[in-house]
Amino acid sequence: MVAAASVVVVMGAVTGMLSALDDGGGGADEARPEVTRSPRPPSPSLVPSPSPSSAPSVTPSAGASPSPSAKKAGSGPSPQKRPAKKAPPSAETATRLYRHPESQVLDWVRSHPDDPRQDVIGSRIAGHPAAVWFADHTPATITSRVRAVTSGGAAEGRVPVVVPYAIPGRDCGGHSEGGAPHLGAYDAWIERFAAGLGSGDVIVVLEPDSVAQAECLSAGERADRFASLARAGRVLKEANPNARVYFDAGHSGWHAPAKQAGWLKQAGAASAASSDGVFSNVSNFHATADEVAYDRAVLDALGGPASLGAVIDTSRNGNGAPPDGEWCDPDGRTLGRAPTLNTGSERIDAYLWVKLPGESDGCRGEPGTFTPSYAYDLAR
């Protein structure tokens, strides 16, 4: 078992920007992950508004928190005819990422108007768009919850970032264990997830840690997972040709680029039918410059279309990774670059806040829960 890396810590069943709230499924689907909460879809009689009660249903980012169990220290059928690959966002829409109106940090800001930390946390964290995680296996409700997020983004002319996080064997049984019971169930869940993507621009961060953490699987299990991920990419892009799907590249402090690229190729990340590139640094702290160099090296080793790019989680990497490799709410970290689709850097498609700053890895607070003292330390 390697010291920590970039695993997502999910409280209970899920974690992330929003916790998965049930939208009527009942039973186990009502479980609220420690970090992520799935917004309920609005009533047909209501017009979505910025308030959580009427906002489109969304599953907040399942706050990927590093977990010690798997990370390195430091840190359906293919479409018969596919449309032309969508060009990168134009300058006019380059910074128009969607901020969902429900999250743990927004809940805290709204309920603590007199807290002396409220202004800093509200302006520097809650005011920025972040990913929405779907970390619970809820087949009956997943389509409507994804649609609530994508329709909310479309209504504002903004680009949502969604994170499917339900691969079987997730986190190798560590802090964020869970997911679908088996790959057949996962394949069916992804089809329902894809049905909620709509037709507008959307970024899909497909299964953090699913590739980089695959060493805990046997060779056969790894091959099966990679085949399922390749299929997932095809299904997502077939459902919405404007969806941009990115595969797990771990981070610059983990596997060598050639090794990571070899696994990514097996998972379908080199095929335009499945992939738009890779993502890195989710829930970790490595400096943006290090991630840019690493991602370009991975893409070079991966091959595939020249259009493949990378997105980087910059939510907590303002000071880079701790020199001692601490992954659990380390001291001295700060917010990184603000989320944007306009990076000005070749082959880097976006800087995103995939892990919501202030959601604990489990040392400053319960895993996956918003911890105001930690958020304030990151933001001030």
Side-chain angles (χ1 to χ4, degrees):
M1 183 174 298
V2 203
S6 73
V7 173
V8 175
V9 171
V10 178
M11 284 189 60
V14 187
T15 61
M17 170 182 172
L18 301 176
S19 50
L21 300 175
D22 175 62
D23 60 354
D29 287 353
E30 295 180 9
R32 175 170 175 165
E34 292 186 337
V35 178
T36 306
R37 152 183 69 174
S38 308
R40 305 185 187 94
S43 166
S45 62
L46 298 176
V47 176
S49 76
S51 69
S53 60
S54 61
S57 67
V58 179
T59 305
S61 60
S65 300
S67 135
S69 58
K71 316 258 162 157
K72 175 156 185 165
S75 70
S78 305
Q80 295 180 351
K81 184 176 181 181
R82 300 193 58 76
K85 184 176 179 66
K86 182 177 175 60
S90 66
E92 181 180 353
T93 61
T95 59
R96 295 182 64 80
L97 287 164
Y98 176 59
R99 188 193 73 161
H100 191 259
E102 293 186 46
S103 69
Q104 290 191 89
V105 62
L106 283 169
D107 286 348
W108 184 87
V109 167
R110 290 166 181 148
S111 61
H112 293 81
D114 299 323
D115 192 295
R117 301 165 296 184
Q118 196 253 25
D119 285 346
V120 170
I121 292 174
S123 63
R124 301 208 62 200
I125 296 179
H128 289 290
V132 176
W133 293 63
F134 298 82
D136 53 338
H137 180 248
T138 51
T141 63
I142 189 62
T143 301
S144 61
R145 291 189 292 118
V146 174
R147 184 179 295 124
V149 178
T150 57
S151 63
E156 295 184 11
R158 295 180 179 270
V159 182
V161 179
V162 296
V163 185
Y165 189 60
I167 199 79
R170 187 175 68 196
D171 196 18
C172 295
H175 288 304
S176 300
E177 65 181 336
H182 51 78
L183 286 174
Y186 178 75
D187 292 347
W189 182 83
I190 278 289
E191 289 186 352
R192 295 191 178 199
F193 187 103
L197 289 178
S199 59
D201 292 334
V202 58
I203 292 172
V204 182
V205 175
L206 180 61
E207 297 294 340
D209 300 327
S210 60
V211 177
Q213 204 181 20
E215 273 184 327
C216 71
L217 304 175
S218 69
E221 291 169 335
R222 190 157 54 238
D224 289 344
R225 173 183 285 190
F226 291 167
S228 184
L229 288 170
R231 179 181 182 276
R234 292 194 303 270
V235 167
L236 293 164
K237 291 185 70 63
E238 181 176 300
N240 178 359
N242 288 322
R244 299 180 66 82
V245 180
Y246 295 88
F247 284 70
D248 171 38
H251 58 69
S252 60
W254 206 344
H255 301 302
K259 178 177 181 178
Q260 189 68 27
W263 282 352
L264 283 163
K265 187 170 293 188
Q266 294 176 50
S271 169
S274 303
S275 168
D276 291 278
V278 302
F279 65 84
S280 71
N281 210 39
V282 168
S283 295
N284 222 279
F285 306 90
H286 294 275
T288 300
D290 294 338
E291 292 304 299
V292 168
Y294 169 74
D295 288 341
R296 287 174 177 164
V298 170
L299 290 169
D300 286 345
L302 179 62
S307 56
L308 295 183
V311 299
I312 298 170
D313 187 351
T314 58
S315 60
R316 306 186 297 179
N317 73 343
N319 280 345
D324 62 357
E326 177 57 57
W327 61 269
C328 187
D329 302 336
D331 292 332
R333 302 311 96 194
T334 65
L335 302 176
R337 299 192 186 194
T340 181
L341 297 174
N342 187 11
T343 69
S345 188
E346 183 181 4
R347 303 202 81 181
I348 306 302
D349 295 344
Y351 299 133
L352 305 174
W353 283 10
V354 183
K355 168 77 170 182
L356 186 64
E359 289 184 356
S360 176
D361 300 325
C363 293
R364 296 282 294 269
E366 290 297 316
T369 58
F370 180 74
T371 308
S373 61
Y374 183 36
Y376 185 68
D377 285 348
L378 290 167
R380 62 180 175 173

